[in-house]
Amino acid sequence: MAAKTLLFALLLVASPFAFASDPSPLQDFCVADEISRVFVNGFVCKDPKLAKPEDFLFSGLDKPGNTSNKFGSKVTLIDASKIPGLNTLGVSMARLDVAPNGLNPPHIHPRATEILTVIEGSLYVGFVTSNPENKLFSKVLNKGDVFVFPKGLIHFEFNYGPTRAVALASLGSQNPGLIRIGESVFGSNPSISDDILAKAFQVDKKIIDWIQAQFASTN
């Protein structure tokens, strides 16, 4: 009996981690109250009686993103901060614009799987599995092609073509999060010690200092 009780207790403790994801809604919708000062995991719900159609609407995703930057790409994220009605629904989306030879740099979404659909041009995309395999799964996508990036894995999109590429992405979280590998490692504030990074990447500290300077100029 004691063993069964212990096992049941362990399952109760482990279950929140085994099924960790965006919380499921307990009502039809929970429109984010953007003026509330209460801090919660997500957004506080406003009174459903005050909800209006505009709470579920975003306009402008047809407009091209500005790719005039050193990477030549622009991500327009539509999440619960842009559409209050997305709060607790566990989804978001984004438009990706990539200029010729532009790159959406290697990054991860810590809280979401992503499914990407190319609607204009072509993209070379890929993701890398976790250690120790570190296997690259990559593909050239053309208009109408769809590719999936598993949750939490490093991935990228590169436009090797002569024209602008446009893609739409669906993400399995109202707040998928974004960690760009280069900016996080070499552009952190305060900076990670160049001794640590030189050891980690097995290069001279001068190389690390030079790379950090490139990212410092973008912050």
Side-chain angles (χ1 to χ4, degrees), residues 27-188:
Q27 58 274 332
D28 289 344
F29 53 79
C30 172
V31 174
D33 184 346
E34 298 172 305
I35 63 173
S36 173
R37 302 181 66 179
V38 177
F39 186 82
V40 297
N41 184 28
F43 294 96
V44 173
C45 304
K46 74 177 184 181
D47 188 337
K49 295 178 181 178
L50 301 178
K52 53 188 184 296
E54 289 75 17
D55 291 327
F56 303 89
L57 173 70
F58 176 87
S59 298
L61 203 60
D62 59 317
K63 296 179 173 59
N66 184 3
T67 58
S68 300
N69 53 67
K70 64 167 45 181
F71 293 120
S73 66
K74 173 64 176 179
V75 176
T76 304
L77 178 65
I78 310 301
D79 59 8
S81 67
K82 301 286 182 60
I83 303 180
L86 274 179
N87 190 36
T88 75
L89 298 185
V91 294
S92 57
M93 69 177 299
R95 170 176 172 146
L96 171 63
D97 291 88
V98 191
N101 294 311
L103 170 71
N104 189 19
H107 61 281
I108 68 173
H109 301 296
R111 294 180 288 274
T113 292
E114 174 182 347
I115 182 166
L116 182 84
T117 304
V118 175
I119 60 175
E120 183 180 324
S122 300
L123 287 171
Y124 171 61
V125 307
F127 66 86
V128 180
T129 62
S130 54
N131 297 351
E133 289 82 7
N134 298 317
K135 184 176 180 179
L136 172 65
F137 287 81
S138 63
K139 198 73 177 175
V140 174
L141 305 183
N142 298 303
K143 182 177 179 179
D145 289 341
V146 180
F147 198 81
V148 174
F149 302 110
K151 180 178 179 179
L153 295 187
I154 295 173
H155 59 284
F156 61 86
E157 297 95 5
F158 175 68
N159 183 3
Y160 70 94
T163 61
R164 172 189 291 261
V166 181
L168 292 178
S170 299
L171 300 117
S173 172
Q174 71 176 55
N175 181 22
L178 172 66
I179 301 174
R180 285 183 173 158
I181 307 307
E183 291 179 13
S184 297
V185 174
F186 297 104
S188 66

Side-chain angles (χ1 to χ4, degrees), residues 70-71 183 186-187 209-219:
K70 64 167 45 181
F71 293 120
E183 291 179 13
F186 297 104
D209 293 339
W210 182 84
I211 296 176
Q212 287 181 321
Q214 310 313 304
F215 284 94
S217 65
T218 65
N219 293 336

